[in-house]
Amino acid sequence: MNDLYHFEDFTIGRRFAFGAYTVTKDEIFEFARAFDPQPHHLDEDAANASMLKGLSASGWHVCAMTMRMFAEGIILKTANRGGVGCDEARWIKPVRPGDVLRLEVVVRAAKESARHPGVGFVTFDCNVFNTHEQVAMVSMTPIILKRGA
């Protein structure tokens, strides 16, 4: 497909914004039961008594929701060749039921591969905002993209 973004389309400093993703209480419980069964993600009384002072999504759940927005906003629109992991992920503010998340990403780095001339690595700084426009999570995510030429 010629309408896909390629490595050359991602210049340092280029910004993108995505969302909205609405977080539900049921989704928080479902994710926690399956992947992060800590009491403060599974029980409202335990959550209220915790340092979070209320029910909140697991940080790993926030990562998964971020990945969904990132995939729909960029990855599925690119000549993507995979990923190499996540260099950083930090949970700054709790994500609560009813929060509407949005994602802003900025191209941090773009480097051609020395070993594979047909691809390059693009690293994105990702900021997830909650309903109150507070940064809830930050991450730094590199992906591998096909060259357009």
Side-chain angles (χ1 to χ4, degrees), residues 47-106:
N48 290 333
S50 77
M51 64 185 274
L52 296 171
K53 305 271 189 265
L55 184 64
S56 65
S58 161
W60 297 111
H61 185 192
V62 178
C63 287
M65 292 181 278
T66 301
M67 185 63 201
R68 177 64 182 252
M69 290 185 286
F70 191 50
E72 290 176 350
I74 287 188
I75 293 175
L76 298 176
K77 298 175 183 177
T78 67
N80 179 38
R81 294 298 179 255
V84 294
C86 182
D87 291 340
E88 177 182 2
R90 294 180 186 265
W91 304 301
I92 311 298
K93 293 279 185 187
V95 171
R96 309 281 189 198
D99 268 348
V100 178
L101 304 180
R102 68 180 186 82
L103 173 64
E104 290 183 4
V105 300
V106 178

Side-chain angles (χ1 to χ4, degrees), residues 14-35:
R14 187 169 182 190
R15 295 180 171 277
F16 300 87
F18 317 107
Y21 187 97
T22 302
V23 183
T24 68
K25 184 188 295 189
D26 289 343
E27 181 182 19
I28 289 172
F29 288 144
E30 183 180 336
F31 186 94
R33 276 192 300 274
F35 303 107

